[in-house]
Amino acid sequence: MPPQTPQRPPKPYFFYGHRKPSQNRPTVYGGFFSNRQSLRNPNSTSEPHQSQPFNVQKWDPHYLPNQKTQSPPSDPKTFQLQRHLSPIARFITDAFRKNQFQWGPRVVTELSKLRRVTPDLVAEVLKVENNPTLASKFFHWAGKQKGYKHNFASYNALAYCLSRNNLFRAADQVPELMDSQGKPPTEKQFEILIRMHADCNRGLRVFHVYQKMKKFGILPRVFLYNKIMDALVKTNCLDLALSVYEEFKGHGLVEESVTYMILIKGLCKAGRIAEMLEILEKMRRNLCKPDVFAYTAMIRVLAAERNLDACLRVWEEMKKDLVEADVMAYVTLIMGLCKGGRVVRGYELFREMKENGILIDRAIYGVLIEGLVGEGKVGKACDLLKDLVDSGYRADLGIYNSIIGGLCRVKQFDKAYKLFEVTVQDDLAPDFSTVNPLLVCCAEMWRMDNFFKLLAQTEKLKFSVAADLEKFFEFLVGKEERIMMALDVFEELKGKGYSSVPIYNILMGALLEIGEVKKALYLFGEMRGLNLEVNSLSFSIAIQCHVESGEILEACECHNKIIEMSQVPSVAAYNCLTKGLCKIGEIDAAMMLVRDCLGNVVSGPTEFKYALTILHVCRSGEAEKIIEVLNEMTQEGCPPNEVTCSAIISGMCKHGTLEEARKVFTNLRERKLLTEANTIVYDEILIEHMKKKTADLVLSGLKFFGLESKLKAKGCKLLSS
């Protein structure tokens, strides 16, 4: 056998692998669009390669050199779209990404590697691009190619891109751009703009686009007219929708059932029932009678607007058209009537459903039971509950809560407690709204044994008894006549160990509101005697009680306790203590509290803010400027009070004169904003405060010049501390 010559491998070329590189034919790596690398001349001499220090940033795939702006965040939806891009479109988006999503010469250089960018390719790129500036410049660059013209797809993609990035006003200019580039817009371009505006509830922009359609001489189809009117109705532009409808009729177009229903629902929402009935009659005459779904939609809109008379009128119209009501129509009307307070009429419709053999939804039972309980007809509500169970439904917790609350209001505790046990047995997870009516009923009937039994049962159900008792007392003191009863219930609870600082605070606040200051202070002293952790709210309530009792010194001690706790008094406590200090002539302390309050709370009292304004204006020493501030206060509904007058005294004693301060008080008396007696009182306070400030200045001068020790050496006792 002759020796076989070794078979030469096939000559490599682009399909099988890398071809042999040369100087004029550089090596190509990767796919169709990739970086090219030219070979150096092998005969040329080069310097020996020097090793460069390792730079980790060159190996970081997320690092971009000279990065000035952050790339836009990646959107999962956009990422899914980019997965389906063509290779050329992906090359263009990669060029954007490599250049930090900014248009520039580097991007143009990358795009110049492509032979041509087609309009469909422009549309494909714009569909996934979320940078409107970059998209607009790319669109403009593509249009400058030789022999290139944009098509409808590229224009539409530009409009979508601009609108997607909230540049809807720029998107509205796309039709003018098309017309200037020799591509007159069609109805489709305007339909895109109308859809985008309608989806974002921009009714006026929809009308603007419609007006622009008329300028271009384009007549919308019936479908697009419906879209325009629907967008205007949904954005409460009913008059504009009716004007569009008049133009619709003027063009000789024929209404569809959707056209009539859009106008009818808009008129129902606006409460224009007479016009709605006219459109309804026109629909019957020209097209057809509305079906049950159309009538249900009308009733739903009217019920949402609480126009119950119109709901019943539409119901009568439905009967006149011999349209048989379905379950949804009954549910919509009954729920609207019960929520609007017409439970009797809703109950009549419920009986009508029973007679007609229509399946009754559990929601109807729930809303009827709630309405009947609200009107005090607990017996009928219980009958409905029995009917609900007999029909095979399982009552939910809301239904049980309504009936339990109704039974407790009529003092039928035993029946209500049995229903509570049913909720426990059925694993309905009763909550505080279930237990609270029972607790209130026990307190009103003074059945404390049942009260504590109920508390023990709630503990077994892993209720937060402490939090529920706080809510119970908040509900109990909501009515003034039950505050003393709440105090008696708390006395019983203290014996069982159910006492806490929040409950004390609730009762103290309620007693303060009805003027029982001594009892509130007694609770405060009792709370401190039990060594409970008194919080800032307790001290704030105590401050108000002490001021009401005339015990300003004790109120100041409570204020200091709050400061020692590194907390802030309530605004009411600040206001009350400041007025108390003003009444006893402690002007400086009151002004210090004003500054402290405005520096610590988010929004202080208006009179405090004006007090600081008056202190600043007093630097001029002119009564006229202070009177201007007082006039502004009166116009803002904040008449001058103790804090305002004290601010005038403090400011004028520092920067003005007695005569100018008296001019202000005289002006207030002449305008009947200050009584004669109060004017005399404030004049005496002004004189005393001026004396005090003068004495302080004298003492400061003696100390400054070193004369204090000499006077004391001569036996002067006025300076003794």
Side-chain angles (χ1 to χ4, degrees):
M1 184 175 182
Q4 294 182 359
T5 59
Q7 186 177 2
R8 296 180 61 184
K11 183 179 180 181
Y13 55 97
F14 188 79
F15 184 79
Y16 289 103
H18 302 302
R19 52 179 164 75
K20 186 177 180 179
S22 66
Q23 176 63 25
N24 298 321
R25 300 175 64 189
T27 305
V28 178
Y29 296 97
F32 291 103
F33 306 101
S34 57
N35 298 325
R36 298 176 181 180
Q37 181 180 1
S38 298
L39 295 179
R40 291 176 175 268
N41 188 358
N43 298 325
S44 63
T45 59
S46 60
E47 297 180 358
H49 177 71
Q50 296 180 357
S51 62
Q52 298 292 332
F54 177 75
N55 188 359
V56 70
Q57 291 179 346
K58 293 182 179 180
W59 299 87
D60 185 3
H62 302 289
Y63 173 73
L64 295 174
N66 300 326
Q67 186 169 359
K68 296 180 180 179
T69 58
Q70 295 291 336
S71 61
S74 59
D75 186 8
K77 186 177 180 181
T78 304
F79 178 74
Q80 292 295 331
L81 291 173
Q82 288 179 348
R83 291 180 59 186
H84 302 287
L85 289 177
S86 63
I88 304 180
R90 193 173 302 142
F91 172 80
I92 296 173
T93 57
D94 286 345
F96 294 159
R97 179 183 56 79
K98 290 177 183 178
N99 293 278
Q100 299 90 43
F101 296 93
Q102 289 185 342
W103 187 265
R106 297 176 63 182
V107 178
V108 175
T109 303
E110 290 289 326
L111 296 180
S112 298
K113 296 177 183 179
L114 301 175
R115 177 168 296 184
R116 187 171 186 79
V117 177
T118 63
D120 292 335
L121 191 59
V122 172
E124 187 178 4
V125 173
L126 293 182
K127 285 179 182 178
V128 299
E129 183 54 53
N130 287 325
N131 188 334
T133 305
L134 184 62
S136 301
K137 292 184 177 180
F138 171 67
F139 184 86
H140 178 65
W141 174 87
K144 292 193 297 183
Q145 297 179 103
K146 187 176 181 180
Y148 177 92
K149 286 187 178 181
H150 289 292
N151 60 7
F152 288 116
S154 59
Y155 284 113
N156 295 343
L158 177 63
Y160 274 117
C161 178
L162 294 172
S163 180
R164 187 168 62 244
N165 292 278
N166 205 29
L167 295 176
F168 51 87
R169 293 179 180 85
D172 289 345
Q173 302 301 319
V174 172
E176 282 85 351
L177 177 65
M178 297 177 66
D179 189 58
S180 65
Q181 294 181 353
K183 193 81 170 177
T186 63
E187 186 193 25
K188 187 64 178 177
Q189 279 67 54
F190 290 103
E191 180 184 345
I192 289 172
L193 296 175
I194 288 171
R195 283 178 178 273
M196 290 188 297
H197 291 313
D199 293 341
C200 297
N201 294 323
R202 293 191 289 259
L204 294 178
R205 298 302 300 185
V206 170
F207 188 74
H208 172 70
V209 175
Y210 168 68
Q211 296 286 76
K212 190 176 291 189
M213 286 185 72
K214 294 193 296 183
K215 291 180 182 178
F216 279 93
I218 298 175
L219 179 65
R221 293 169 294 159
V222 176
F223 165 77
L224 195 54
Y225 263 117
N226 293 341
K227 192 72 177 177
I228 295 169
M229 289 187 284
D230 186 47
L232 292 171
V233 166
K234 287 181 179 178
T235 54
N236 299 323
C237 300
L238 179 61
D239 293 330
L240 289 178
L242 292 175
S243 67
V244 172
Y245 176 63
E246 293 298 326
E247 295 179 4
F248 174 91
K249 293 189 297 182
H251 290 130
L253 299 176
V254 180
E255 299 93 337
E256 297 176 348
S257 59
V258 177
T259 311
Y260 286 118
M261 286 309 303
I262 290 171
L263 296 174
I264 287 173
K265 288 194 290 186
L267 292 169
C268 288
K269 188 176 181 180
R272 296 158 69 168
I273 307 303
E275 297 177 51
M276 182 271 292
L277 293 175
E278 292 178 4
I279 299 291
L280 187 62
E281 184 62 32
K282 187 176 180 181
M283 181 179 178
R284 293 193 189 110
R285 185 173 61 251
N286 297 342
L287 189 63
C288 63
K289 294 181 180 179
D291 57 4
V292 65
F293 303 105
Y295 277 114
T296 304
M298 292 185 236
I299 294 171
R300 183 181 294 109
V301 173
L302 292 168
E305 299 295 326
R306 297 295 177 92
N307 195 345
L308 302 181
D309 293 329
C311 286
L312 296 174
R313 177 68 183 275
V314 171
W315 188 263
E316 294 299 324
E317 292 289 331
M318 184 174 67
K319 287 186 175 180
K320 186 168 67 176
D321 287 340
L322 302 178
V323 177
E324 186 176 353
D326 60 358
V327 179
M328 187 54 64
Y330 274 109
V331 169
T332 306
L333 182 57
I334 291 174
M335 293 184 73
L337 291 171
C338 291
K339 290 179 180 179
R342 299 193 182 184
V343 185
V344 177
R345 178 60 177 145
Y347 188 74
E348 292 175 359
L349 290 172
F350 168 78
R351 302 302 304 175
E352 183 179 319
M353 289 181 70
K354 296 276 288 184
E355 293 172 359
N356 295 335
I358 299 176
L359 180 65
I360 301 176
D361 189 40
R362 188 175 69 174
I364 296 180
Y365 282 104
V367 72
L368 279 173
I369 288 173
E370 184 179 354
L372 290 171
V373 169
E375 292 190 354
K377 301 176 180 179
V378 186
K380 282 188 177 181
C382 293
D383 294 339
L384 277 179
L385 176 62
K386 184 177 181 302
D387 190 8
L388 171 69
V389 176
D390 293 341
S391 299
Y393 289 111
R394 183 188 180 194
D396 58 9
L397 185 62
I399 294 174
Y400 279 115
N401 288 349
S402 299
I403 297 180
I404 288 173
L407 290 171
C408 289
R409 280 195 288 271
V410 296
K411 302 298 186 294
Q412 296 189 17
F413 174 79
D414 296 330
K415 293 182 179 180
Y417 185 75
K418 288 180 180 178
L419 287 179
F420 170 71
E421 290 180 332
V422 171
T423 61
V424 175
Q425 293 172 3
D426 291 349
D427 294 329
L428 294 178
D431 53 9
F432 173 75
S433 57
T434 311
V435 179
N436 186 55
L438 296 167
L439 295 175
V440 174
C441 184
C442 289
E444 290 177 344
M445 299 175 67
W446 202 249
R447 298 174 63 168
M448 299 309 296
D449 293 337
N450 297 112
F451 190 95
F452 291 117
K453 178 183 176 182
L454 194 58
L455 285 181
Q457 191 168 357
T458 55
E459 285 181 349
K460 293 179 181 178
L461 295 173
K462 297 182 179 180
F463 278 32
S464 178
V465 178
D468 287 347
L469 282 175
E470 293 173 22
K471 297 176 186 177
F472 163 73
F473 278 104
E474 283 182 359
F475 178 80
L476 210 58
V477 300
K479 293 184 178 179
E480 184 177 340
E481 60 272 11
R482 294 194 303 208
I483 293 177
M484 302 311 296
M485 180 184 68
L487 195 60
D488 296 336
V489 172
F490 184 61
E491 290 295 330
E492 295 289 330
L493 286 173
K494 284 190 294 185
K496 301 289 186 177
Y498 294 105
S499 62
S500 63
V501 174
I503 297 177
Y504 272 107
N505 292 341
I506 292 168
L507 294 174
M508 287 169 58
L511 291 171
L512 174 63
E513 289 181 0
I514 64 174
E516 295 288 343
V517 179
K518 292 183 179 180
K519 291 184 179 180
L521 289 174
Y522 174 78
L523 287 178
F524 178 70
E526 179 182 298
M527 180 169 45
R528 300 187 70 180
L530 293 174
N531 295 324
L532 296 175
E533 294 184 3
V534 184
N535 54 25
S536 61
L537 180 58
S538 308
F539 282 113
S540 297
I541 298 172
I543 288 172
Q544 300 176 65
C545 294
H546 282 304
V547 173
E548 290 290 332
S549 301
E551 301 169 348
I552 307 298
L553 183 60
E554 288 79 0
C556 293
E557 291 178 358
C558 292
H559 172 267
N560 294 336
K561 289 287 185 183
I562 297 176
I563 302 302
E564 290 173 4
M565 297 164 61
S566 299
Q567 296 184 6
V568 180
S570 64
V571 176
Y574 268 124
N575 201 353
C576 190
L577 182 56
T578 304
K579 291 181 179 178
L581 290 171
C582 293
K583 288 179 181 178
I584 63 174
E586 293 291 338
I587 307 296
D588 293 336
M591 294 300 104
M592 183 189 68
L593 276 181
V594 168
R595 293 185 176 90
D596 189 42
C597 174
L598 295 178
N600 289 329
V601 302
V602 177
S603 180
T606 307
E607 55 265 28
F608 282 16
K609 299 175 183 177
Y610 276 111
L612 288 186
T613 306
I614 290 171
L615 289 174
H616 179 72
V617 171
C618 285
R619 292 177 180 272
S620 65
E622 299 177 6
E624 290 76 10
K625 293 186 177 181
I626 301 175
I627 292 173
E628 289 178 4
V629 177
L630 295 175
N631 292 336
E632 182 183 336
M633 288 182 63
T634 307
Q635 292 174 1
E636 293 293 330
C638 179
N641 57 7
E642 301 92 339
V643 180
T644 310
C645 295
S646 299
I648 296 171
I649 293 171
S650 177
M652 295 306 287
C653 286
K654 283 184 180 180
H655 309 287
T657 60
L658 290 176
E659 289 75 14
E660 293 294 322
R662 284 170 176 164
K663 287 181 183 179
V664 178
F665 288 122
T666 303
N667 179 270
L668 292 175
R669 186 194 62 196
E670 291 174 354
R671 294 162 58 188
K672 296 182 180 180
L673 296 174
L674 203 64
T675 62
E676 187 73 29
N678 287 337
T679 306
I680 297 172
V681 171
Y682 284 122
D683 188 70
E684 294 177 356
I685 295 176
L686 175 65
I687 296 172
E688 291 296 326
H689 195 67
M690 182 65 80
K691 290 180 180 179
K692 182 179 177 182
K693 288 297 176 184
T694 306
D696 291 341
L697 288 174
V698 172
L699 289 175
S700 299
L702 292 174
K703 290 180 181 179
F704 180 77
F705 291 106
L707 301 175
E708 184 180 11
S709 58
K710 294 180 180 180
L711 290 175
K712 286 184 178 180
K714 291 182 179 182
C716 181
K717 298 181 180 180
L718 294 175
L719 301 177
S720 60
S721 57

